Amino acid sequence: MTPPGGGGRGGKRRSGGEEPVVPKAEFTSYYGLPILNGPVWRSPDIPGYLFLGGLAGASSVLAAGAQFTGRRELATRTKVVATAAIALGAVGLVNDLGRPSRFFNMLRVFKPTSPMSVGSWLLAAYGPVTVLASATAVVERFPRVDIAATASAALFGPAIATYTAALISDTAVPAWHDAYREMPFVFAGSSATAAGGIGLVCAPGGQSAPALRLALIGAAMEAVAIRRMQRRMGLTAEPYQQGIAGRNMGAARSLTIAGAAAAVLGHRHRGVRALGGVALAAASAFTRFGVFEAGKQSAKDPRYTVVPQRGRLASLEASGPRPTS
Amino acid sequence: MAECHPVGFQWVMEAKARGAKLIHVDPRFTRTSALADVHVSLRAGSDIVFLGAIIRYVLEHEQYFRDYVVAYTNGPVLLRDDFRDTEDLDGVFSGFDPEGRSYDTSSWQYEGADDGGDDASAAKDAAQAESHGSGGAPVGEGEPRRDDTMQHPRCVFQVLKRHFSRYTPEMVEEACGVPQDAFLRVCEMIASNSGRDRTTAFAYAVGWTQHTVGVQYIRTAAILQTLLGNIGRPGGGILALRGHASIQGSTDIPTLFNILPGYIAMPHAHKHEDLDSFIEAEAATKGYWGNMRAYMVSLLKAYYGDAARPDNDFCFDYLPRLTGNHSTYETVREQMKGACSGYFLMGENPAVGSANAKMQRLGMAKLDWLVVRDFSLIESATWWKDGPEIESGELRTDDIATEVFFLPAAAHTEKNGTFTNTQRLLQWHHAAVEPQGDARSELWFMYHLGLRIREKLAASTDAMDRPVLDLTWDYPTKGRLAEPDAEAVLAEINGWGADHAPLSASTELRDDGSTTCGCWIYCGAYAGGTNQTARRKPGSDQSWVAPEWGWAWPANRRILYNRASADPDGRPWSDRKAYVWWDAGEKKWTGHDVPDFEADKPPDHVPAPDAKGPDAIGGRDPFVMQVDGKAWLFAPAGLTDGPLPTHYEPQESPFANALYGQLRNPARQLTDASGGHNLYHPSDGEPASDVFPYVATTYRLTEHHTAGGMSRWQPYLSELQPEMFCEVSPELAAERGLEHAGWATIVTARGAIEARVLVTDRVASLTVAGRRVHQVGLPYHWGPNGYSTGDAANELAHLSLDPNVHIQEVKAFTCDVQPGRRPRGRARLALVDEYRRRAGITEATGREP
Amino acid sequence: MPLDPDPATSVGYTDHPDRVGFFTDTTLCIGCKACEVACKEWNHVPDDGLKLTGMSYDNTVSLSADSWRHVAFVEQHKPVAQEDGGPGELRWLMASDVCKHCTHAACLDVCPTGSLFRTEFGTVVVQEDICNGCGYCIPACPYGVIDQRKDDGRAWKCTMCYDRLGVGLEPACAKACPTDSIQFGLLDDLRARAHDRVDALHAAGVPEARLYGHDPTDGVGGAGAFFLLLDEPEVYGMPPDPVVTTRDLPEMWKRVGTAAVALVGAAIAAFVGTS
Ligand SMILES: Nc1nc2c(c(=O)[nH]1)N[C@H]1C(S)=C(S)[C@@H](COP(=O)(O)OP(=O)(O)OC[C@H]3O[C@@H](n4cnc5c(=O)[nH]c(N)nc54)[C@H](O)[C@@H]3O)O[C@H]1N2
Ligand SMILES: Nc1nc2c(c(=O)[nH]1)N[C@H]1C(S)=C(S)[C@@H](COP(=O)(O)OP(=O)(O)OC[C@H]3O[C@@H](n4cnc5c(=O)[nH]c(N)nc54)[C@H](O)[C@@H]3O)O[C@H]1N2
Ligand code: SF4
Ligand code: SF4
Ligand code: SF4
Ligand code: SF4
Ligand code: SF4
Ligand SMILES: [Mo]
């Protein structure tokens, strides 16, 4: 229970037990309560969407690549994956809104200042073409439509896979906002890993090489981006290493390594290859859930809001203060 | 004040903005303290020491306003040589009778004035103090001897000096637990802000009154303010911050048993046989109370109209007679004894709001009928089915014979009428909406009830029914609900002359029956036939005294006794503080306010020796309600417990009296043990006093209102203070293992309640008499009903009252605190019993004089 | 970002009324909570539940969907450098918080439905009939003001009594405030008044008096509701240096674009040279 006399020095940390890597900065707060209202988005709906959107978007690119390099089966299957993923993701979104009808309010306006608005329109464009691309591929008719749809899906795909980075970074949530420089690459990488991974699972014999490569490149991109991100962020990187977020990010790391190893070494055996693929996709999912939770944790603890802002003011003081009172 | 008068507090903030310094004296650090320049935390119940020591400081350091004191107070007047002060008798005054626990006040009289005063024991049980409250306590005839050098050892000033000589800064530290430097800082601030050019105002409310010496608290402040010349002058005074929106109005036109409208005493059985003997006994011969017959006759005319004639004493016989003390707490005793069988509760929730709430419920359980008029089903209306005694099994619903009627009441927003505020300002409020459903106004209820009763009695020839049948009961009604016209009532209160034209001032009242007036001090509120109380001219459009906002009694005067704002010769004491003055050219009193003085009585007027009433007031005597026109530093009459304030410990205290051998107020009014329901704790020096080691004090929160009927049913208010709590210092929390936001059980010999715990530095533990004392803060708003519920603090409080005005001592009593929730049902009683046993409490405990 | 552009003008209102706002002078607050109650009465905001928090006299806890004014209570021992205040004196800070009606309002920027809009008075208002409960505005607000009402999922906050402003009335909370701790008026006037007040307090020996949110060059371009505080903002539960998140949005989009291209690159790389 909070003792009387709020604004106690040192604040009272509510969240995760582990020792933070960054030494605790002294700070004041109002009874240790969060300053921000954290994300009200529910899990698994929203982190799930982050993952599925990435999977879908990157799969569409993979599909296009496959189609234009004459790997029809791979193309068809990855298109189906994209369709299923984006459909499921959309279900998650609508479910989070409460009432499906509410989704249409999203299309009242187009606001570039709102990544969610942009995303809604992207989705409105990407969804249909993806469905069309897979449909035509499955029924193997209307080749022209197929090509057009596949191409446009591949065009929107990368956007769908990465805009969500702006979506979460464009908030006051410390662990998200402070990460805005690298987050798009984390998501891009993570999407590639997911698409590659699932690609490995469903790729017919002899067509899995691109999927493997995509997965490996993605995993590398993601790993590098995350390292840079956390190095740069300082205190607000802490939540990524703590609590549920920390565990998710850890799981993602191990699964990436394991999955990559399995996929590379067991490349010859379909089963091992698929297993590696699943692990890589799972790694991608864990990354998204990790990022999501890190955001929530950082919003809950006033330290992550106050300390960096204090630091900012201090350096501002140093370089001549801006007019006050 | 910020807590309980937040809207009024805006003016304190205005004063602060203009440089005024704000001092707050309170055991707790409250929202008021937060805005004050200085907060002094003292032990609850020790203010007379604190204030008395300021008086001593002012006297010792020659800081008093000498010219004012010599001219306007009874400081120079000599006392009889048989007067003995508490200095001489170790804490009691001469004339004390231990058996009757009362004083014979004859030895308190002025020398030279033959025997006056009033038989204090009679005054006590009838609480005549209230009628004296507006001045007019009788003193003997004849010119008392004076010594204008104020050197004579028996002059009031010297007696005062001696009386307060032991109220030293050291004593303040010893008894109040206030460090000397903090105390001296307050003295300097007050003294330096008083005199010709500056005035200091005191504001108080029930933190001062709810003590067995409540009235003497106010007296102490009055003496101090008089010495400093802060009475009758702008920016001065002692401001009683009142309670319910029109609680001032309900003493002017009283809901009290012992006074009639305008503070005229209620006649006594046997004592006042007829009008003449009544006037003879009650009216003062000098000052404005000299006109009491005119006020009384006009009142009787208002009551009985044409039936009131000179030949029948204006129906004086019709008035009910007092047979003793019928105050609310006495009435509860009568109920418990079965002597009082019917009860109206109109705007009161005693099952929660009155001290020793259990006795209130037990009393109601003995009634034949009970009528509750309220907004919601308050505890006083439902105790018979879900009160604490039902839970404990002490009462069984089936055994309770009381027939309870609940009648929904209309709120102030649903009716016309006036509020009279602490400044004696009558302000009219207009109904915004009609009452919903069956809800009706008090006015409607009383009027129509009266009609029905008169209907039933119409045929009666029994003389006993005349007082009801002869009443003037003919108010015009309006609208769908036949609501009586409130303005017609105001007109009747204001009164009219023979020509039936509205009167414009009480000076027009006659004692021959040619005038009627429902309340002489309100005469003028309807002057010229217009509702003066409804005036709302913005302050910006009138003078700073704002005489055209509402109407203040008497005579729309904004500051009473304001002749004191000018020096004896009628010149303002200073330009800065000029208020009213004598215009020599015009030969009349003039100024910013309505002068509280006969307009054409020159400052040098010396009344004829045989002059009576107002004529007997000299040109230099501002206190026109007093028989001698003086402010009383020493009160030869009017008080039942001493002519000078004296510190006594509360009925229950962890400390002996540091100043005298006399522990408690010897004249305090004790309610009997009431079948074991009103037992007192032993105080310091008495065995087992350590069983109840802590000082409890009860109070209000801004978020709630009194017994909760207007706040605990409101979600928007309840959520702001959702639960009953107690406030304790970290020290006490450690001593008793209380956890912040956890639960505590508070126990006295009357009951045990539970409350959430707020551990806070705002409630100071103090060092008193070299010991640490912890205080327990208890809001008293909660009860079992409503949206926000909790135990009522009044389950803990005892009945021992101020002898002058019968107010309960709920600001300082002792208790124990234990961690955790209280036991339920019978176990709750067992806990209290166990404490009683441990403290060895009997019906005799705490009852010696 | 441009220096304190008039927000109403910048969204295209022509000949609109001057920008209004709040100056909340916490040195005048007596913690009576009349502002909280008046707000709920006028705007029919539901009660926020009955819970004793143990946070001094604050049982409202924070601004939320069901509390658009929140009075904070802080009990502290502080060396107060007043002429008559010794060190370690007990202080009881009270402050009534509210939506800041930011010049650059993140909540408004990120709202995908246009439910949040800028009024002609320069204030920021949610339209309950358009809000779809997406919840985006909530983590976007750097002050933790706007919040979701659990039962209907939509976002609610102070409207600065848009309906009252429309008919020339001052907001309910300001009207109810007995001590004028809440001062409503034209923002420019309020800012001038606030500076004078701070100077006066400093002269009176209250050096800790400071303004918060008054500065058009701060991270939100200056708040429409700003404060005079006696301690650091975070002591009252307010961020010391809030920044409107959308300030970095252009950079974010750039990086999203690059990342998208990188993804395409990765895909190409995945195919080149494979047979
Ligand atoms: N919000 C709100 N306003 C109200 C009311 C309400 O219930 N709620 N009630 C109205 C009514 S009926 C009344 S009578 C007035 C009462 O107005 P107040 O008298 O202000 O009310 P209380 O809180 O009972 O008491 C005031 C203070 O007295 C302090 N006190 C206790 N014992 C002592 C003592 O021995 N000496 C000194 N110096 N102080 C002491 C308490 O700590 C408390 O802070 O308020 C009126 N206004
Ligand atoms: N321990 C402790 N006890 C105290 C005090 C204390 O400080 N400490 N203070 C004492 C004081 S000063 C007071 S004034 C009393 C107050 O104690 P009470 O007067 O018993 O309590 P209230 O809740 O004020 O009761 C007023 C009732 O009138 C109702 N009401 C309001 N307006 C109207 C109306 O127009 N008509 C009718 N018919 N009903 C109406 C309200 O709903 C409410 O239920 O408590 C006293 N008791
Ligand atoms: S409740 Fe009424 S009487 Fe009390 S402060 Fe408010 S306005 Fe004044
Ligand atoms: S304070 Fe928050 S809710 Fe209010 S306008 Fe600024 S961003 Fe929007
Ligand atoms: S919750 Fe409502 S107001 Fe907030 S961003 Fe979404 S639509 Fe706009
Ligand atoms: S301005 Fe209106 S809506 Fe905003 S807090 Fe004040 S009363 Fe509530
Ligand atoms: S109404 Fe005014 S004084 Fe009362 S709490 Fe709100 S801001 Fe403070
Ligand atoms: Mo009262």
Side-chain angles (χ1 to χ4, degrees):
Chain A
M1 191 58 224
T2 329
R9 288 264 158 215
K12 301 130 210 91
R13 299 195 53 248
R14 299 281 178 78
S15 51
E18 298 105 299
E19 264 317 299
V21 286
V22 185
K24 276 209 200 62
E26 149 123 334
F27 80 111
T28 38
S29 72
Y30 186 62
Y31 299 94
L33 293 172
I35 283 178
L36 301 172
N37 291 330
V40 291
W41 296 322
R42 279 183 307 251
S43 182
D45 294 357
I46 299 309
Y49 171 73
L50 298 180
F51 165 70
L52 292 166
L55 171 60
S59 297
S60 295
V61 183
L62 185 58
Q67 180 149 349
F68 302 131
T69 55
R71 298 177 169 88
R72 278 226 145 274
E73 298 82 351
L74 180 62
T76 307
R77 295 181 187 177
T78 43
K79 287 180 190 177
V80 173
V81 169
T83 309
I86 205 63
L88 198 59
V91 169
L93 280 185
V94 170
N95 181 50
D96 195 70
L97 286 182
R99 284 188 232 111
S101 61
R102 284 180 168 177
F103 182 81
F104 297 108
N105 297 28
M106 294 285 191
L107 306 178
R108 279 183 75 250
V109 291
F110 174 74
K111 277 174 74 176
T113 61
S114 171
M116 190 179 281
S117 172
V118 173
S120 305
W121 287 102
L122 269 176
L123 206 54
Y126 172 79
V129 290
T130 311
V131 175
L132 202 57
S134 51
T136 46
V138 171
V139 299
E140 297 183 339
R141 293 182 51 198
F142 316 109
R144 272 203 198 69
V145 181
D146 181 357
I147 291 175
T150 308
S152 16
L155 191 66
F156 293 125
I160 286 288
T162 50
Y163 92 88
T164 46
L167 179 81
I168 61 167
S169 300
D170 192 26
T171 62
V173 175
W176 288 351
H177 183 91
D178 295 2
Y180 75 85
R181 289 191 179 76
E182 296 82 6
M183 195 62 78
F185 299 95
V186 175
F187 279 17
S190 167
S191 309
T193 314
I198 297 299
L200 279 174
V201 177
C202 58
Q207 293 189 3
S208 64
L212 175 58
R213 283 212 210 162
L214 183 63
L216 295 179
I217 298 171
M221 193 195 296
E222 179 181 344
V224 173
I226 290 180
R227 169 160 299 99
R228 282 162 149 257
M229 177 174 100
Q230 300 199 348
R231 281 245 184 74
R232 191 181 49 75
M233 287 169 72
L235 179 65
T236 47
E238 212 177 80
Y240 287 95
Q241 293 135 30
Q242 296 176 349
I244 308 173
R247 286 197 286 285
N248 279 306
M249 298 303 278
R253 262 195 310 283
S254 337
L255 280 166
T256 312
I257 294 162
V264 174
L265 304 179
H267 189 241
R268 303 261 165 281
H269 315 80
R270 201 177 191 305
V272 184
R273 199 170 67 213
L275 210 64
V278 170
L280 286 162
S284 167
F286 273 112
T287 303
R288 309 306 181 106
F289 277 83
V291 168
F292 183 79
E293 291 302 330
K296 291 186 107 171
Q297 286 167 207
S298 73
K300 257 206 199 66
D301 187 336
R303 142 191 331 272
Y304 300 118
T305 309
V306 173
V307 175
Q309 294 189 15
R310 275 276 150 232
R312 205 155 61 214
L313 286 175
S315 49
L316 227 135
E317 269 328 285
S319 61
R322 64 161 108 89
T324 50
S325 68
Chain B
M1 182 172 181
E3 294 271 356
C4 294
H5 304 83
V7 172
F9 195 75
Q10 70 184 292
W11 307 117
V12 176
M13 297 300 284
E14 292 248 339
K16 273 193 79 180
R18 297 176 186 199
K21 289 269 170 280
L22 179 58
I23 303 170
H24 185 224
V25 179
D26 192 306
R28 303 178 309 132
F29 187 101
T30 72
R31 279 174 267 218
T32 313
S33 327
L35 276 290
D37 296 283
V38 177
H39 168 249
V40 176
S41 166
L42 86 181
R43 172 175 63 107
S46 66
D47 295 61
I48 291 182
V49 179
F50 190 84
L51 291 166
I54 303 177
I55 291 176
R56 178 181 176 278
Y57 174 95
V58 165
L59 293 172
E60 298 297 314
H61 295 73
E62 302 279 324
Q63 295 271 19
Y64 58 94
F65 193 163
R66 188 175 183 90
D67 299 351
Y68 183 102
V69 170
V70 172
Y72 297 160
T73 77
N74 65 355
V77 178
L78 270 53
L79 299 179
R80 281 167 34 163
D81 53 12
D82 59 346
F83 171 71
R84 293 290 169 274
D85 184 57
T86 48
E87 285 300 293
D88 318 310
L89 305 177
D90 197 21
V92 291
F93 295 92
S94 48
F96 186 64
D97 152 35
E99 278 58 51
R101 215 188 251 117
S102 66
Y103 279 103
D104 165 1
T105 64
S106 47
S107 64
W108 305 353
Q109 300 308 305
Y110 298 149
E111 175 163 292
D114 51 37
D115 221 334
D118 42 32
D119 165 8
S121 49
K124 177 174 168 182
D125 46 65
Q128 266 159 334
E130 269 116 344
S131 59
H132 301 147
S134 62
V139 291
E141 300 297 311
E143 251 336 283
R145 275 187 55 203
R146 337 174 15 107
D147 165 21
D148 283 351
T149 68
M150 302 201 297
Q151 292 309 316
H152 191 290
R154 275 192 287 113
C155 82
V156 163
F157 187 78
Q158 293 301 331
V159 170
L160 194 70
K161 256 186 149 161
R162 284 200 300 279
H163 179 84
F164 285 107
S165 56
R166 30 175 106 202
Y167 293 68
T168 58
E170 296 72 20
M171 190 54 77
V172 169
E173 184 158 344
E174 174 84 2
C176 311
V178 177
Q180 293 184 39
D181 55 352
F183 165 72
L184 288 169
R185 182 139 129 261
V186 172
C187 294
E188 283 149 18
M189 287 175 79
I190 293 175
S192 65
N193 193 60
S194 306
R196 285 176 179 270
D197 282 314
R198 310 195 67 82
T199 51
T200 295
F202 279 59
Y204 74 91
V206 300
W208 269 5
T209 58
Q210 291 168 347
H211 300 277
T212 44
V213 283
V215 168
Q216 297 287 5
Y217 269 56
I218 320 308
R219 274 284 298 149
T220 324
I223 291 168
L224 177 57
Q225 284 293 70
T226 307
L227 286 170
L228 293 168
N230 286 332
I231 304 285
R233 302 178 59 204
I238 305 168
L239 317 173
L241 301 173
R242 302 305 309 260
H244 291 95
S246 196
I247 205 77
Q248 178 64 48
S250 72
T251 42
D252 300 339
I253 300 195
T255 52
L256 299 165
F257 74 98
N258 55 338
I259 49 177
L260 292 164
Y263 301 92
I264 299 172
M266 193 77 178
H268 265 256
H270 316 306
K271 196 155 161 240
H272 307 121
E273 299 302 345
D274 60 10
L275 184 56
D276 293 326
S277 61
F278 175 75
I279 300 295
E280 173 64 32
E282 294 304 322
T285 51
K286 300 178 175 182
Y288 275 82
W289 277 111
N291 291 347
M292 185 167 152
R293 192 170 213 282
Y295 313 150
M296 185 69 180
V297 169
S298 301
L299 173 62
L300 290 167
K301 288 295 289 183
Y303 282 167
Y304 297 113
D306 298 340
R309 299 183 311 276
D311 58 38
N312 66 359
D313 239 2
F314 300 100
C315 302
F316 178 72
D317 292 348
Y318 285 4
L319 291 181
R321 296 297 196 272
L322 296 175
T323 55
N325 179 347
H326 311 303
S327 73
T328 157
Y329 291 116
E330 282 306 311
T331 305
V332 166
R333 281 300 292 133
E334 295 306 307
Q335 292 170 352
M336 292 174 79
K337 294 175 189 152
C340 168
S341 55
Y343 205 31
F344 280 102
L345 286 180
M346 298 195 279
E348 205 181 343
N349 187 9
V352 168
S354 292
N356 202 331
K358 181 179 190 172
M359 279 176 65
Q360 296 283 333
R361 296 185 297 265
L362 294 178
M364 288 190 272
K366 288 277 183 64
L367 294 166
D368 298 343
W369 55 267
L370 168 67
V371 177
V372 180
R373 286 178 41 78
D374 211 293
F375 303 152
S376 38
L377 281 168
I378 52 172
E379 289 78 2
S380 299
T382 67
W383 52 269
W384 53 272
K385 60 179 164 92
D386 54 18
E389 290 67 34
I390 303 296
E391 186 209 329
S392 68
E394 286 163 285
L395 292 177
R396 282 181 56 255
T397 301
D398 300 347
D399 305 342
I400 299 170
T402 316
E403 189 175 0
V404 181
F405 304 85
F406 180 83
L407 304 174
H412 62 285
T413 48
E414 299 169 323
K415 52 198 181 191
N416 298 319
T418 58
F419 286 130
T420 307
N421 74 5
T422 180
Q423 194 200 345
R424 310 176 323 281
L425 193 64
L426 282 72
Q427 299 177 95
W428 190 265
H429 61 88
H430 300 269
V433 288
E434 247 193 12
Q436 303 282 311
D438 293 339
R440 296 290 183 273
S441 70
E442 265 53 55
L443 187 51
W444 185 97
F445 177 76
M446 278 303 171
Y447 180 57
H448 290 282
L449 180 64
L451 288 183
R452 290 181 200 188
I453 291 172
R454 284 152 60 94
E455 222 171 86
K456 289 191 185 303
L457 300 179
S460 164
T461 54
D462 187 337
M464 190 181 94
D465 299 329
R466 295 315 311 166
V468 177
L469 292 167
D470 286 346
L471 277 171
T472 58
W473 207 255
D474 49 10
Y475 303 98
T477 61
K478 288 191 293 200
R480 185 174 59 86
L481 305 178
E483 174 77 9
D485 179 359
E487 234 179 85
V489 178
L490 184 65
E492 183 184 46
I493 289 171
N494 176 85
W496 47 74
D499 54 358
H500 218 82
L503 300 171
S504 47
S506 60
T507 46
E508 299 170 5
L509 296 175
R510 298 287 168 265
D511 63 3
D512 57 7
S514 60
T515 57
T516 92
C517 178
C519 180
W520 71 278
I521 56 176
Y522 279 22
C523 189
Y526 205 71
T530 53
N531 185 343
Q532 306 291 337
T533 71
R535 297 180 302 171
R536 293 189 183 164
K537 190 187 238 188
S540 49
D541 302 358
Q542 53 177 321
S543 87
W544 59 273
V545 174
E548 288 169 84
W549 181 279
W551 185 88
W553 70 263
N556 200 29
R557 225 166 252 131
R558 305 299 160 127
I559 296 181
L560 279 181
Y561 301 136
N562 56 33
R563 191 252 178 264
S565 68
D567 67 15
D569 301 329
R571 293 181 307 259
W573 289 109
S574 70
D575 296 344
R576 190 167 179 277
K577 288 290 174 180
Y579 196 64
V580 306
W581 52 88
W582 174 253
D583 181 330
E586 294 289 316
K587 297 229 160 304
K588 62 192 250 304
W589 288 93
T590 176
H592 303 299
D593 194 358
V594 180
D596 194 358
F597 212 62
E598 281 176 275
D600 53 4
K601 180 181 284 182
D604 52 19
H605 172 78
V606 179
D610 60 345
K612 297 240 171 294
D615 298 343
I617 296 292
R620 298 163 169 252
D621 297 332
F623 297 90
V624 294
M625 298 305 299
Q626 303 283 83
V627 291
D628 54 0
K630 306 287 188 205
W632 289 356
L633 296 170
F634 175 100
L639 289 161
T640 62
D641 55 352
L644 287 171
T646 305
H647 170 70
Y648 300 113
E649 285 297 320
Q651 171 64 31
E652 295 177 346
S653 169
F655 297 97
N657 189 337
L659 289 104
Y660 312 98
Q662 180 61 37
L663 177 59
R664 307 179 176 93
N665 180 355
R668 72 194 182 281
Q669 185 193 332
L670 298 181
T671 306
D672 65 22
S674 314
H677 294 300
N678 190 50
L679 299 174
Y680 304 126
H681 299 165
S683 288
D684 187 33
E686 299 165 334
S689 62
D690 58 346
V691 174
F692 299 101
Y694 306 127
V695 175
T697 189
T698 60
Y699 48 86
R700 293 156 171 75
L701 303 167
T702 310
E703 295 86 342
H704 281 286
H705 196 270
T706 46
M710 286 175 285
S711 59
R712 280 186 285 115
W713 275 260
Q714 308 299 325
Y716 289 168
L717 294 176
S718 297
E719 68 178 326
L720 300 177
Q721 289 292 6
E723 287 184 63
M724 169 67 180
F725 59 83
C726 61
E727 295 182 302
V728 299
S729 69
E731 263 181 74
L732 172 51
E735 187 169 301
R736 279 291 192 258
L738 305 173
E739 208 191 290
H740 181 69
W743 287 92
T745 297
I746 303 102
V747 192
T748 69
R750 280 74 59 182
I753 65 166
E754 64 184 12
R756 301 287 299 278
V757 179
L758 292 189
V759 179
T760 170
D761 293 323
R762 293 184 296 97
V763 178
S765 294
L766 303 167
T767 304
V768 174
R771 275 189 284 136
R772 287 304 270 176
V773 58
H774 305 303
Q775 314 196 72
V776 181
L778 297 167
Y780 84 103
H781 301 297
W782 277 273
N785 296 6
Y787 192 56
S788 162
T789 63
D791 285 354
N794 277 319
E795 309 295 341
L796 303 173
H798 57 67
L799 290 184
S800 74
L801 315 174
D802 173 282
N804 297 287
V805 294
H806 316 289
I807 196 166
Q808 68 285 346
E809 187 161 69
V810 284
K811 284 291 182 272
F813 54 89
T814 59
C815 70
D816 186 33
V817 185
Q818 292 294 339
R821 306 192 65 161
R822 65 166 166 82
R824 312 278 134 180
R826 288 221 163 273
R828 184 185 190 177
L829 302 176
L831 177 66
V832 174
D833 284 337
E834 187 235 321
Y835 265 88
R836 289 174 176 173
R837 235 176 292 108
R838 273 174 49 211
I841 291 173
T842 72
E843 302 213 336
T845 308
R847 290 180 183 275
E848 44 293 297
Chain C
M1 255 176 214
L3 264 200
D4 187 29
D6 182 284
T9 311
S10 60
V11 294
Y13 286 100
T14 50
D15 72 71
H16 56 79
D18 289 341
R19 184 180 184 186
V20 297
F22 283 132
F23 166 41
T24 303
D25 181 346
T26 67
T27 62
L28 303 180
C29 180
I30 57 173
C32 70
K33 305 179 190 172
C35 47
E36 288 192 23
V37 176
C39 176
K40 294 197 173 204
E41 289 283 356
W42 181 263
N43 297 292
H44 304 295
V45 180
D47 77 80
D48 216 345
L50 272 65
K51 188 181 168 300
L52 185 126
T53 64
M55 293 158 47
S56 189
Y57 279 3
D58 175 7
N59 293 301
T60 309
V61 181
S62 67
L63 291 173
S64 74
D66 296 341
S67 297
W68 302 352
R69 269 271 173 198
H70 164 240
V71 183
F73 288 77
V74 178
E75 298 175 20
Q76 55 176 204
H77 285 279
K78 266 275 164 101
V80 196
Q82 285 166 348
E83 78 230 36
D84 40 29
E89 230 185 40
L90 181 59
R91 276 212 307 188
W92 202 6
L93 304 178
M94 299 157 198
S96 179
D97 195 6
V98 68
C99 168
K100 313 302 177 293
H101 296 274
C102 309
T103 304
H104 306 302
C107 63
L108 187 157
D109 288 347
V110 304
C111 176
T113 64
S115 157
L116 273 155
F117 78 110
R118 179 78 60 180
T119 74
E120 63 273 34
F121 302 100
T123 58
V124 179
V125 175
V126 200
Q127 301 166 83
E128 55 199 77
D129 54 337
I130 292 175
C131 172
N132 73 348
C134 76
Y136 200 7
C137 52
I138 292 157
C141 171
Y143 298 92
V145 169
I146 193 165
D147 193 16
Q148 185 176 51
R149 188 170 290 165
K150 292 289 159 280
D151 53 15
D152 76 358
R154 290 176 297 172
W156 302 84
K157 73 170 192 76
C158 161
T159 69
M160 208 178 270
C161 285
Y162 188 44
D163 52 349
R164 291 174 64 94
L165 298 191
V167 295
L169 294 172
E170 74 178 310
C173 55
K175 183 83 190 160
C177 178
T179 58
D180 279 344
S181 173
I182 300 174
Q183 299 169 30
F184 168 81
L186 300 182
L187 193 57
D188 294 337
D189 304 355
L190 292 174
R191 282 175 176 163
R193 194 188 304 171
H195 285 295
D196 297 347
R197 173 68 178 163
V198 169
D199 296 344
L201 284 167
H202 287 173
V206 190
E208 67 271 29
R210 75 205 67 188
L211 294 181
Y212 172 77
H214 63 298
D215 179 0
T217 69
D218 71 15
V220 298
F226 64 100
F227 302 78
L228 191 161
L229 305 176
L230 289 176
D231 204 334
E232 302 296 355
E234 55 267 39
V235 169
Y236 302 86
M238 302 196 240
D241 185 36
V243 170
V244 57
T245 182
T246 43
R247 191 187 64 184
D248 304 315
L249 188 56
E251 180 62 19
M252 291 178 197
W253 281 137
K254 247 196 247 103
R255 286 167 175 271
V256 166
T258 323
V261 172
L263 178 53
V264 176
I268 294 168
F271 284 95
V272 287
T274 50
S275 48

